[in-house]
Amino acid sequence: MRFAHPLVLLLVPLLVVSSILLWRHARRRAQQKMALFGPLNRQGSILRSLDPAARRRKAVLFAAALCLLAVTVARPVWGPRPDAADQTGSEFFIVLDVSKSMLVRDVTPNRLEAVKAELADWLKTRHGDRIGLIVMAGDAFVQAPLTNDYTALREVLSQTGPTSISKGGTNIPMAVQVAVKALDAGEVKRKVVVLVSDGENLEGEVAAAVTEAAQQHKITFFTMGVGTLEGGKVPEKDPKPDFTKPPKAFVRDDYGVTAHSRLDERSLRAIAAMGGGRYFHFTPDGETWDSLYSQALATLARRTETFNLKQYDDLYQIPLALVIALLLWEMMLSTRKKHPEKARSIVTLPEPAAAPPATAMSRKPNRNVRRRKAALTLLIAGLLVGGSNPGLHAAESALVRLVTQSGELIAQGKATEAAELLRAAAQKDPNDYYVVYNLGIASYAAGQWQDAVDAFAEATSSPEKRVRAQALVQMGNAQYQLGKTLLKTGNRMGASVAWERSVETYESALAVKSTSTTEHNLQVARERLESVLMNLADSFISSAEKSKSTESKINELTKAVSSLERVTQINPKNKDAEQKLEDTRRKLAEQLRDQARELRAKAEQVNPEKDKEGREQEKLNTAANERYEQAREQAPNDKELAQEHDAFRNQVANALTDKAEAKVQQAMQPPAKPEKGPNQGEIKKRQNTLNDALTKVDKALAFEEDNQRAQKLKAEVMKQLEAAHMEYADMAKANGDKQAQTQPESAAGNFTEAVQNYQKALEINPENAGAKEKLAQSESALAKALTESGKKEMAQASGEKPPQKGKGNKPNAPEPAAAPGTPAEPTASEMRENIGHLEKAAQNFAQADALRPGENEAQTLQQQALDQLDALRAALDQKQNQGPGQKPGPGEPAQVAGEPMPGEPAEQPAQQASNLTPMKPVLSFSEIRAADKSEGQFKDLKQNQKVRDW
C-alpha cells in the first residue's frame, strides 16, 4: 500500500498535538468561567449532572476522526508499482479572448460559445498533451495551468465567459506576460501559445510584447481568428443569453452608433508572423483544432515519462467509513449522567427581552418614551447575561458592569453619554456583537439615527441568528426615523432614499425571522415611501412645465417617470399613480420627439464642405434615432410617432446607401494606364475604397435592417471585393513564380500576400473553386520558397556568404591571422551574426513545414538548425564567460562589460553610426493597425488613450 499524497500525513501528528492543547485550554477557560458563579465548594452541586469521562471520550473520538480524515485525503492505494510509460504530447497554453466583441453572433451561436464548444469536443480526443487556459480581455490571468486532466479543463472552460474579467478591451501584451510566467514556471522546453481572438481593438504594444517573448523566451505564437469579414453587432454582456432571440441590447461607440465587430485577420497574421507561428481561421465544423494540431503543434511534441495511477485500487473508502462511524458515535454520546443526584435548589437565569419596536411606527410617541427606556435597559442588561453560556470570563464581567451602567444612563435620559461609553467598549472589542448591538440601541435612544444604522449594520454579521434578526429590525427602525428627520428639513429625496433602504431592511429581517411587528413596520414604511415618491413626482412634473430647455424637461420628466414606476411597484392598486405615469410618459415622449426633430434639423444644416466624411451628420442622426427609440419606449402605441421614426430611418439609410454607391463608383474607375492594366497599388486602393463602401452599407443597415437598396448594394460590394482580392492574389502569385528561383525571400513575401487574398476571397465566397485551387498552389509554393530561404540562411551561418554588391566598395582591413598550427575561431560578433541567420532559418523551416507537412525536408532542416543554434549559443556563452586571466581567441577583441547579447543591437558611436545605412524601424502594432480605414476604430493607440471596452 502507498499514498498518492503522502505529504498530507504530516497533518496527523499536528492534529493530535493541537487536540491536546485545545482540550487543556478549554478546561482552563471553563474553570475560570465557573469561578465567577461562586466558591469552589458549590461547583459540584451546579455540575452534578455532567459526566467528565463522557466529555473526554467525545474529544478523543473527534480527534481520531480528524486524523482518519487526513489519512483519507492522503489517498491510500493498493497495487503494483506504477508502470513508466512514454507518451508523446505537446505543451501549450490557449489564450482565449472573452471580450464583448466575442459575443457577436456572426458564428452560431456566437463567437465565444462556438469556440468553447469545438474546443471542448476536441479535448475529448486528446491524450498525452499538457494544455493550459488563459482568459483575456482588458486584463489576463491563468484560468487553468498546464494539465492533462481534460475533464477538469473542460469544466473550467464551460465556466469561462465575458463575466470572467470585468475590465473590457483586448490586452494581448498582458496575456503574453501571463503566458511567459506560466511557461517559465512549468519548465516547458518548447514553449507554445495559441491565441484565439477576433483581432479587434488591441491595446498596448503588442508587437514589442510578442517579439520579446519570441526572441528572449523562445515562445512560438499561433493565432486563430474567430468571426467573419462581415461581422455583426456587438451585444452587451448577458449572464444567461437566449440564442433563439435577438440580443437585448448592443454596445454603442462614442458617436452612439451600434458597435460593429469584424474579424481582423491582418492583426492576427502579424502576431503569428512575429511569433514564428502561423494563422488559422476558425470554422465551426470541428476541423480547425485538428488542423492546428496536425500542422503546427504536433511538430513540437516531446516525449515525457508519466505514472499510470489507474493501475492502483483506491482504499480511501475504508478510513472514510471509519470517520463517519466515529463522528456518529461522538454525536450519540451524551455528556449528561443517566441518574444524577437531585438538586436541592434550582437557579433560573432571566431570559433576554425582545427587541424594542420602532416608536413612531407601532405606538404613539408620547405614550411609549418611558416604555422604550425600560425595554432598552432590560435589553442591555439581559442580552449579555441571559444570552451567554453559564459563567463569564473576568473581562466580560467588567463589560457587564459597563453595559449595566449604560442602561442606567438611558433610564435617566442620558442616552448620549450611554452611547459614548458603549462606543469606547466596542472599540476595544469590535468582535463582540452584543456590545455593538447595544451601541445601536443607545444611539437610537439618543436620536443619533445614522450612528444607530451603522451599529446595527455591523451587528448583522453576528453568527447568532437571534442577534442578526433583532439587528435587522432595529436597523430598519433607525432608517425609518432618519427618513422622518430628513423630511422635516425639506429633503424629500433623502427621505425617499432612507425609506427605500428601510423597506429593503425589513424585507431582509422577515427572511431571517418573521414577526407581526416587522410586518407592520414594513407596511408603514411602504406607505410613507409611496407618499414621498408621489410628492417628488409632482415636483418633477411641475419643474418640467416651468423649464424652457427641452433637455431640462426631459431630465425632469424622466425622474418623474422613475418615481411613479416605483410607486406602482410598491402599491399596484394605486390608480392615481398609474394615471399620472401614463400622462407623464406621454409628455416625455413628446419632448423626446421634439428633441429628435431638432437634431435632424441640425444634421440637415451641416456644411458638406467641412464635413466631407459625413461624421458630424452621422453623429447627429444617430442621436436623433436614439431619441426616437426612447420616445417609442415611453409611447409604444403612438402610431404617428412610429411612422415618423420609420421614415427618418429610411431617409438616413438611403443617404448612407448613396454615399456607399459613390464609393463603389470610385472604386470601379479605370486604371491610369488601361493598356497595361491595374498595378498592385491600384488594386489595393480599390480594396480600401470597397471596404469604405461596405462600412457605409453596414451603417445604413444598422438604421434600417430591411432596406432593399442597401442589401443589394452590400451583395454587389462583396462581389467586387472578392474579385479585387482574386486579382491582387493572382498578380502576387505571378510575381512570386518569377522570383522563386533567384530571390526566394521576395518570392515568399509575394506568395504570402497571395495566400492572404485568396483566403479573404474564400471568406466572401466559400464556393469559389478557383480560389481554393490557387490557394493550395500558393501555399505549396510558399512552403518551397521558405525552405529555400532557410537553406540560404543556414549557408550564410556556415560561412558561405554571398559577395557584397555595390559600387566603390573598398576592401576591408585584413583580419589578424591566426597563429601557426591553431585553427581560426569565430569572434563573438560573428557568432551573434550566425545565431541570427540560424534563428531566421529555423523560423522559415517551421512555417514551411506547417504549410505543407511532410511534403519537403523542412522538418529535418528545422531540427538541424535548432541543433546548430543550441551549440552556437553554448559556445558564445562560454566565450563571453572567460575568466580575467584567459586570452581572447585570434582576431577577437577582449570581452568588455555591457557587450550586447545575441539578438540585441550594439550601441554605435555617433561618428560611426552616420556612415551606416539607416534601417527601417519595425512597425509598432499601433502603426500596423493604422492601415485600417474602418470608421469607428481608433487609428493610433499611442496618440489616443481612450480605447473601447468591447
Side-chain angles (χ1 to χ4, degrees):
M1 184 180 70
R2 59 175 295 180
F3 293 91
H5 310 291
L7 294 179
V8 180
L9 296 177
L10 297 177
L11 294 175
V12 175
L14 181 62
L15 289 172
V16 174
V17 175
S18 300
S19 300
I20 295 174
L21 294 178
L22 288 175
W23 169 258
R24 292 181 177 179
H25 176 71
R27 286 191 61 186
R28 286 196 301 269
R29 184 169 176 81
Q31 291 173 358
Q32 293 173 358
K33 289 183 177 181
M34 286 301 301
L36 299 176
F37 271 88
L40 294 176
N41 56 4
R42 297 198 57 189
Q43 291 183 9
S45 60
I46 297 175
L47 303 176
R48 63 171 55 90
S49 62
L50 293 179
D51 187 357
R55 292 171 62 87
R56 287 192 294 270
R57 285 193 295 270
K58 288 175 68 71
V60 170
L61 289 174
F62 188 77
L66 289 179
C67 294
L68 286 173
L69 184 61
V71 174
T72 304
V73 176
R75 191 182 174 186
V77 292
W78 180 268
R81 295 183 59 84
D83 295 331
D86 289 337
Q87 289 186 346
T88 301
S90 301
E91 297 173 310
F92 59 95
F93 269 98
I94 298 175
V95 178
L96 181 59
D97 185 357
V98 296
S99 59
K100 291 183 181 178
S101 61
M102 290 293 288
L103 301 179
V104 176
R105 299 187 180 182
D106 54 351
V107 179
T108 306
N110 64 24
R111 296 175 180 176
L112 182 58
E113 294 299 326
V115 170
K116 289 169 57 179
E118 295 297 335
L119 179 56
D121 292 338
W122 180 71
L123 287 175
K124 296 178 181 178
T125 65
R126 303 316 313 148
H127 57 84
D129 301 314
R130 295 178 64 210
I131 305 174
L133 179 63
I134 297 174
V135 295
M136 169 193 67
D139 200 352
F141 64 90
V142 178
Q143 185 82 331
L146 289 174
T147 179
N148 52 11
D149 187 354
Y150 306 118
T151 302
L153 186 58
R154 290 198 303 270
E155 180 63 23
V156 172
L157 180 65
S158 65
Q159 298 176 2
T160 302
T163 57
S164 298
I165 299 180
S166 59
K167 185 177 180 181
T170 306
N171 195 342
I172 290 183
M174 178 62 68
V176 171
Q177 294 178 10
V178 173
V180 168
K181 294 180 180 178
L183 289 170
D184 290 341
E187 299 181 356
V188 179
K189 183 177 181 181
R190 294 187 178 180
K191 306 172 183 178
V192 180
V193 172
V194 179
L195 172 63
V196 183
S197 175
D198 53 19
E200 279 208 333
N201 298 291
L202 305 180
E203 301 180 26
E205 295 293 338
V206 180
V210 174
T211 304
E212 180 182 359
Q215 293 181 357
Q216 297 186 9
H217 299 277
K218 309 306 175 188
I219 298 178
T220 304
F221 288 84
F222 296 94
T223 58
M224 182 180 294
V226 186
T228 62
L229 184 63
E230 296 181 2
K233 299 179 182 179
V234 181
E236 288 286 357
K237 294 180 180 179
D238 189 358
K240 297 181 179 180
D242 186 0
F243 295 108
T244 61
K245 300 179 181 178
K248 298 179 181 178
F250 295 93
V251 177
R252 296 183 180 274
D253 62 7
D254 298 334
Y255 299 116
V257 178
T258 301
H260 200 89
S261 172
R262 300 186 186 89
L263 171 62
D264 190 355
E265 285 191 327
R266 182 180 56 242
S267 302
L268 297 175
R269 293 182 187 277
I271 294 174
M274 289 181 290
R278 180 187 171 190
Y279 167 80
F280 292 86
H281 178 67
F282 174 80
T283 54
D285 55 2
E287 298 180 358
T288 308
W289 290 101
D290 290 334
S291 301
L292 170 66
Y293 189 87
S294 61
Q295 299 179 18
L297 300 179
T299 61
L300 302 174
R302 69 181 184 91
R303 303 186 72 83
T304 59
E305 183 175 282
T306 60
F307 290 97
N308 186 11
L309 292 178
K310 294 183 179 179
Q311 297 183 3
Y312 285 83
D313 295 328
D314 282 315
L315 301 178
Y316 70 88
Q317 299 91 342
I318 298 175
L320 182 60
L322 293 176
V323 169
I324 297 174
L326 291 177
L327 290 178
L328 291 175
W329 188 5
E330 189 269 343
M331 293 172 59
M332 295 172 62
L333 282 179
S334 175
T335 58
R336 300 287 178 178
K337 295 179 180 179
K338 294 183 178 179
H339 303 288
E341 298 180 6
K342 294 184 178 180
R344 297 181 180 179
S345 60
I346 299 177
V347 179
T348 304
L349 297 177
E351 292 293 331
T359 302
M361 302 173 69
S362 59
R363 299 178 183 176
K364 296 183 179 180
N366 57 354
R367 296 178 58 187
N368 193 61
V369 175
R370 188 174 301 171
R371 295 178 183 176
R372 183 181 66 181
K373 292 179 180 179
L376 289 172
T377 304
L378 182 58
L379 174 72
I380 294 174
L383 264 179
L384 209 54
V385 176
S388 303
N389 293 329
L392 294 173
H393 195 271
E396 295 174 345
S397 179
L399 189 57
V400 170
R401 291 193 296 270
L402 177 62
V403 173
T404 304
Q405 181 182 359
S406 302
E408 294 174 355
L409 290 173
I410 292 177
Q412 297 173 7
K414 300 178 181 179
T416 303
E417 297 180 11
E420 293 298 329
L421 288 174
L422 289 167
R423 184 173 290 107
Q427 290 176 353
K428 294 180 180 179
D429 189 4
N431 295 325
D432 193 332
Y433 295 106
Y434 285 101
V435 178
V436 175
Y437 177 85
N438 288 324
L439 172 60
I441 293 293
S443 300
Y444 188 99
Q448 300 171 353
W449 312 122
Q450 189 58 53
D451 292 342
V453 170
D454 296 339
F456 290 133
E458 188 175 352
T460 56
S461 301
S462 172
E464 298 187 32
K465 181 179 179 180
R466 178 190 61 177
V467 178
R468 291 200 306 271
Q470 293 179 356
L472 284 170
V473 174
Q474 295 292 19
M475 183 178 172
N477 294 347
Q479 289 168 335
Y480 177 84
Q481 297 294 344
L482 178 60
K484 286 184 61 178
T485 304
L486 292 172
L487 186 62
K488 290 180 181 179
T489 61
N491 188 354
R492 289 181 293 183
M493 183 64 72
S496 67
V497 173
W499 285 336
E500 184 76 52
R501 294 175 179 174
S502 177
V503 169
E504 295 175 356
T505 305
Y506 284 138
E507 291 174 347
S508 301
L510 287 174
V512 177
K513 184 179 179 180
S514 178
T515 63
S516 58
T517 302
T518 307
E519 292 177 354
H520 171 74
N521 292 352
L522 174 60
Q523 183 61 30
V524 174
R526 283 177 174 173
E527 292 175 359
R528 296 301 299 269
L529 177 60
E530 178 183 354
S531 175
V532 75
L533 288 175
M534 289 292 293
N535 292 335
L536 281 173
D538 293 338
S539 176
F540 292 142
I541 294 172
S542 176
S543 177
E545 293 174 351
K546 296 178 182 179
S547 178
K548 297 181 179 180
S549 170
T550 304
E551 187 67 28
S552 177
K553 289 181 179 180
I554 290 174
N555 293 334
E556 296 297 323
L557 290 174
T558 301
K559 290 187 287 186
V561 168
S562 177
S563 299
L564 292 170
E565 286 178 344
R566 179 58 179 146
V567 170
T568 55
Q569 292 174 0
I570 296 172
N571 184 11
K573 297 181 180 180
N574 192 329
K575 301 299 181 182
D576 185 25
E578 289 183 1
Q579 184 62 39
K580 283 187 178 181
L581 178 59
E582 183 179 353
D583 296 340
T584 307
R585 281 179 171 171
R586 178 177 50 79
K587 294 178 182 178
L588 178 57
E590 293 176 356
Q591 295 298 326
L592 289 168
R593 180 172 58 182
D594 292 343
Q595 191 174 51
R597 291 172 177 173
E598 294 176 3
L599 293 170
R600 289 179 60 183
K602 290 181 180 180
E604 293 173 355
Q605 296 173 2
V606 172
N607 188 354
E609 296 296 330
K610 296 182 179 180
D611 188 31
K612 294 183 180 181
E613 296 294 330
R615 294 181 179 178
E616 182 65 24
Q617 191 176 42
E618 291 176 7
K619 182 179 179 181
L620 292 170
N621 286 331
T622 301
N625 185 56
E626 289 181 355
R627 290 306 189 187
Y628 273 126
E629 290 177 349
Q630 293 172 2
R632 293 182 70 171
E633 289 178 0
Q634 300 298 328
N637 299 324
D638 192 335
K639 296 182 179 180
E640 182 180 353
L641 174 61
Q643 293 175 356
E644 181 178 342
H645 184 207
D646 293 340
F648 167 70
R649 292 194 302 177
N650 180 262
Q651 176 186 351
V652 175
N654 288 333
L656 289 170
T657 305
D658 293 339
K659 294 181 180 180
E661 288 179 345
K663 290 285 185 182
V664 174
Q665 293 177 0
Q666 179 184 350
M668 293 297 103
Q669 291 181 355
K673 297 180 180 180
E675 64 279 2
K676 295 184 178 181
N679 54 36
Q680 285 183 300
E682 291 175 339
I683 299 175
K684 194 68 176 179
K685 183 178 180 180
R686 188 198 311 167
Q687 291 177 353
N688 295 335
T689 306
L690 289 172
N691 282 323
D692 292 342
L694 186 61
T695 301
K696 297 290 185 184
V697 172
D698 287 337
K699 290 183 178 180
L701 293 174
F703 273 92
E704 189 178 24
E705 295 181 359
D706 55 350
N707 190 296
Q708 298 296 327
R709 280 188 60 209
Q711 292 176 353
K712 292 180 181 179
L713 182 59
K714 183 173 183 179
E716 181 182 351
V717 171
M718 298 296 287
K719 184 177 180 181
Q720 295 294 339
L721 196 56
E722 178 189 1
H725 284 307
M726 289 294 296
E727 186 175 2
Y728 188 92
D730 291 341
M731 191 172 296
K733 181 176 179 295
N735 293 336
D737 292 336
K738 295 177 182 179
Q739 301 167 341
Q741 300 298 329
T742 58
Q743 298 175 335
E745 294 182 356
S746 301
N750 281 298
F751 286 134
T752 300
E753 290 187 347
V755 168
Q756 294 174 358
N757 281 272
Y758 284 135
Q759 288 178 341
K760 290 180 180 179
L762 286 172
E763 290 174 1
I764 298 174
N765 181 15
E767 304 299 327
N768 191 330
K772 292 180 181 178
E773 180 180 359
K774 293 179 179 180
L775 174 61
Q777 297 174 358
S778 299
E779 287 181 343
S780 179
L782 176 58
K784 294 180 181 178
L786 288 171
T787 304
E788 294 299 325
S789 178
K791 291 179 179 179
K792 183 178 177 182
E793 295 292 338
M794 286 188 68
Q796 292 181 2
S798 301
E800 303 175 7
K801 299 185 179 179
Q804 299 292 333
K805 296 181 180 180
K807 296 181 179 180
N809 289 336
K810 297 180 180 180
N812 296 329
E815 296 183 356
T822 303
E825 294 184 3
T827 63
S829 58
E830 291 175 345
M831 287 184 176
R832 295 191 195 95
E833 184 179 356
N834 293 337
I835 286 175
H837 289 306
L838 290 174
E839 287 178 343
K840 188 173 181 181
Q843 179 180 351
N844 289 342
F845 291 142
Q847 293 179 358
D849 187 63
L851 286 170
R852 284 293 182 269
E855 289 189 6
N856 48 47
E857 53 184 350
Q859 185 174 2
T860 304
L861 292 172
Q862 180 191 7
Q863 188 60 45
Q864 294 178 4
L866 291 175
D867 294 339
Q868 295 180 20
L869 193 58
D870 292 339
L872 193 55
R873 283 172 177 162
L876 180 61
D877 291 340
Q878 183 179 3
K879 181 178 289 292
Q880 290 181 337
N881 293 330
Q882 285 179 346
Q886 296 177 342
K887 296 181 180 180
E892 178 182 352
Q895 177 69 24
V896 294
E899 186 171 3
M901 296 298 292
E904 295 182 356
E907 297 183 359
Q908 301 288 344
Q911 63 271 21
Q912 294 181 6
S914 61
N915 298 329
L916 298 177
T917 302
M919 180 180 290
K920 183 177 180 182
V922 179
L923 289 178
S924 68
F925 204 77
S926 60
E927 293 169 333
I928 294 175
R929 294 279 293 166
D932 194 348
K933 301 294 184 180
S934 302
E935 297 183 11
Q937 294 182 351
F938 292 121
K939 303 302 185 294
D940 192 347
L941 300 182
K942 288 183 178 179
Q943 302 299 329
N944 197 327
Q945 298 298 325
K946 186 176 181 181
V947 180
R948 292 196 181 87
D949 65 346
W950 50 272

